[in-house]
Amino acid sequence: MATCKHDNTVEIVQVECKPPPMPTCSNNLKPVRVLDPDGCCWHWECDCYCTGWGDPHYTTFDGLYYSYQGNCTYVLVEEVNPTVDNFGVYIDNYHCDVNDRVSCPRTLIVRHETQEVLLKTVQMMPLTVQVRVNKQAVALPYKKYGLQVYESGFKYVVDIPELGALISYDGLSFSIRLPYRLFGNNTKGQCGTCTNTTSDDCVLPSGEIISNCEVAADQWVVNDPSKPHCPHSSFTTQRPAITTAGASGTTLRKGCASPLCELIQDSLFAECHALLPPQHYYDACVFDSCLVPDSGLECISLQTYAALCAREGVCIDWRSHTHGACSVTCPSHREYRACGPAEEPTCESSSSQQNSTSLEGCFCPEGTVNYAPGFDVCVEFCGCVGPDNVPRKFGEHFEFDCKDCVCLEGGRGIICQPKTCRQKPLSQCEEDGTYLVTEVDPADTCCHVTSCKCNASLCKENPPTCSLGFELKSEMVAGRCCPSYSCGKWGPGARGRGGPRAGAGRVLSEAGYELVEAPGECCMKCEQTHCIINRHNIQYILKPGEIKQDPTNNCTFLSCVKINNHLISSLSDITCPDFDPSIPRNETRAHCSTIPITKRISHSGCTKLVTMNYCSGSCGTFAMYSAEAQALDHRCSCCKEERTSQRKVMLDCAHGSSLNYTYTHIESCRCQDTTCELLPTENSASRRHRRSTPRALGP
């Protein structure tokens, strides 16, 4: 200490700091040493420490114990006179038993300045806690704007270094530790007043102090839109009976307590009893096991007491004494330890950074170390760990996410380049019916291969037309995309190359068809050899060149001709014109005109009845004496086609198939002059007479 003397003389005297007597903290925790404002000496303070666990049970900042089963959202702590912008801790409780008699914590909410942190239990078995900041999920460790969130053992911790505040949550219990120098005599809520005395912990929002904390706790409800049954102005649960501070209004039956509760008062925790009285935690264990038996809630009281003992430096492996009733399961790459480090060492941490505090949790096995904060990877050596969570040694080359990577010491650690694929893509497919397709290479899923795939619907080859008596057959040949076509025998008589020949074929063939020799073929083939005419439900079979009179009409003739190896059947009607004596005629026939006729066209085993025209009629061919020429005047004309067109018809084939066929159709006829020849001979006249006179012909 410096003292100003006369004549500008300054005397420096060392300040003597006398150790102050150690106080007794009402919450039974050890007091902490705090520097005086001048920074020379120090004094003792009792930090504010509030906990909640089970269904739930509370100890206030000053150590007052009570149970409260509200199922709304409540204020745990806020400042009476705000010195920190928007600071507060809140708890969301819900009924966690089928009878709605007890409550459990579901979400712990921490507000600090512009950030709101939610630690929410989303699954109990196995325990899963989700961390959200300003309604957005975040990864741990999280650090922003003077606030940190990280994992420590089984707990999720919110750390605000500038306030010295530590808030932890593990799904079924919470703890809030605040420095007395910043929050002493300036807190309100279900956690009490932090004055190092329990007499004023049961305080109402109005500031009134009452004797029952359960009644006071009911008043610290927060407006939560998701809980419309929890208004500000009314109680959220039935008012419990008025009791003195620290007592409970619930009467428990005798002998209902779980034997596990006895462990808290047993010699197992004897070393901790002197540091932290176990009675509150024993009472909570009995309460939970009696009110909600076989729920496992008694394990939470044991866990909470053991955690406080570990904080005081006494670590106890208590779970091994519960015979599996309170066991925990760790991930396969980690192992359970009752007394692990509060800050697990990593490849990035140094020994000087290690915290001596012990706690239980799932830790990396002996001989391994956690790679880095935020990486749940235990490694034997400190190299690189990529997004695949696989540890790599420095200098190791590997492939990840279709990239060629290498682990390097320093810098970003892992450097990756796009993987190079060697195959050159095809430009087109040559085989009929195939198309280009690009797909993942099964041998290397990082690369794509282009190949030709088969789609039979794209085949351009047309199947052949099979002759009558044969059917089209298709066969898929290995190594070929499109089917291979062939014509095979059809019908019950088809027996392949060793089948019957002409004898059996005539029996099986249809009328008008016969088996004929096929040059160069082993077997005979079925071919149409006669014209087939169906008229008035009667079928007529005519050979080529044969003419037959219709037995029902003497002026109708049926005929069959073979032209260019095609069979053409015809039906001819002869009409007789009225006689006109003023017009010289060489025969009594109608004038030249088109006459419709129905004929059957046959081609390649396919047939069709077609109505077409032919030219017929008188054209005035005569011989007459001419006085001017003093000779006979011959005039000869012929009834011939005047205009024709090419028409198409679809012929019907066997088995329902069809065939396009083109024929010449006569559109109109007229008499055309021609050279007059000598008079026909008698035989010729006889033949002409037969053509113009209807005559019944034999079949």
Side-chain angles (χ1 to χ4, degrees), residues 248-458:
S248 173
T250 303
T251 302
L252 303 176
R253 68 183 187 275
K254 293 183 179 181
C256 62
S258 168
L260 293 176
C261 299
E262 300 302 322
L263 291 176
I264 297 177
Q265 293 185 324
D266 194 58
S267 59
L268 177 66
F269 285 94
E271 187 179 354
C272 186
H273 290 167
L275 302 173
L276 192 66
Q279 190 61 44
H280 296 334
Y281 306 95
Y282 174 79
D283 292 341
C285 182
V286 172
F287 182 93
D288 291 345
S289 62
C290 289
L291 204 59
V292 192
D294 302 321
S295 65
L297 283 176
E298 59 268 28
C299 296
I300 305 303
S301 294
L302 280 159
Q303 176 180 304
T304 303
Y305 185 60
L308 288 171
C309 292
R311 181 178 289 275
E312 296 300 310
V314 179
C315 184
I316 300 169
D317 184 6
W318 62 275
R319 292 187 188 270
S320 60
H321 295 266
T322 64
H323 306 290
C326 301
S327 61
V328 293
T329 302
C330 290
S332 58
H333 64 291
R334 291 182 175 270
E335 62 183 18
Y336 170 79
R337 288 188 217 163
C339 304
E343 295 181 20
E344 188 174 17
T346 69
C347 290
E348 298 180 359
S349 62
S350 61
S351 57
S352 61
Q353 295 176 299
Q354 302 303 314
N355 191 322
S356 60
T357 305
S358 297
L359 48 74
E360 67 171 350
C362 295
F363 301 92
C364 289
E366 291 292 337
T368 64
V369 64
N370 191 39
Y371 175 71
F375 286 80
D376 186 17
V377 182
C378 299
V379 297
E380 297 178 358
F381 46 83
C382 292
C384 304
V385 173
D388 56 354
N389 285 339
V390 177
R392 315 281 182 182
K393 294 182 179 180
F394 291 129
E396 180 180 346
H397 291 263
F398 61 98
E399 182 182 299
F400 175 74
D401 194 22
C402 295
K403 296 178 181 178
D404 292 322
C405 305
V406 60
C407 170
L408 299 177
E409 187 172 6
R412 292 181 296 168
I414 296 178
I415 304 298
C416 296
Q417 298 291 337
K419 183 179 176 64
T420 302
C421 298
R422 304 186 181 278
Q423 193 222 21
K424 294 182 179 179
L426 299 175
S427 58
Q428 62 180 1
C429 294
E430 302 293 339
E431 184 182 354
D432 186 22
T434 59
Y435 65 100
L436 283 174
V437 61
T438 301
E439 56 189 356
V440 175
D441 187 353
D444 187 352
T445 56
C446 291
C447 296
H448 291 80
V449 291
T450 303
S451 59
C452 293
K453 296 290 184 179
C454 176
N455 184 351
S457 64
L458 301 178

Side-chain angles (χ1 to χ4, degrees), residues 115 117-119 129-144 147-151 156-158 372-376:
Q115 299 187 91
V117 181
L118 271 69
L119 307 177
V129 174
Q130 183 186 65
V131 181
R132 301 176 72 89
V133 177
N134 294 340
K135 300 181 180 181
Q136 295 292 327
V138 297
L140 301 185
Y142 170 87
K143 184 176 182 180
K144 190 175 183 180
L147 181 145
Q148 305 175 40
V149 186
Y150 55 87
E151 291 182 77
Y156 292 78
V157 180
V158 179
F375 286 80
D376 186 17

Side-chain angles (χ1 to χ4, degrees), residues 92-217:
D92 171 19
N93 289 340
Y94 73 105
H95 282 146
C96 54
D97 75 315
V98 294
N99 298 316
D100 290 346
R101 292 184 300 173
V102 297
S103 298
C104 297
R106 176 166 51 195
T107 305
L108 190 71
I109 305 160
V110 181
R111 290 177 182 167
H112 176 241
E113 296 182 347
T114 61
Q115 299 187 91
E116 180 181 79
V117 181
L118 271 69
L119 307 177
K120 182 176 182 179
T121 304
V122 295
Q123 182 176 304
M124 289 301 301
M125 297 297 290
L127 180 66
T128 304
V129 174
Q130 183 186 65
V131 181
R132 301 176 72 89
V133 177
N134 294 340
K135 300 181 180 181
Q136 295 292 327
V138 297
L140 301 185
Y142 170 87
K143 184 176 182 180
K144 190 175 183 180
Y145 301 147
L147 181 145
Q148 305 175 40
V149 186
Y150 55 87
E151 291 182 77
S152 179
F154 291 142
K155 296 183 180 294
Y156 292 78
V157 180
V158 179
D159 185 0
I160 308 175
E162 69 172 346
L163 301 181
L166 284 174
I167 301 101
S168 65
Y169 180 71
D170 64 6
L172 282 174
S173 66
F174 69 86
S175 66
I176 303 171
R177 186 159 193 155
L178 304 176
Y180 183 87
R181 60 185 176 84
L182 295 179
F183 292 92
N185 294 296
N186 194 32
T187 62
K188 61 181 180 179
Q190 289 184 339
C191 281
T193 57
C194 191
T195 58
N196 201 28
T197 176
T198 60
S199 61
D200 58 359
D201 277 350
C202 304
V203 63
L204 300 178
S206 63
E208 179 185 356
I209 298 173
I210 62 175
S211 62
N212 191 293
C213 282
E214 295 178 42
V215 175

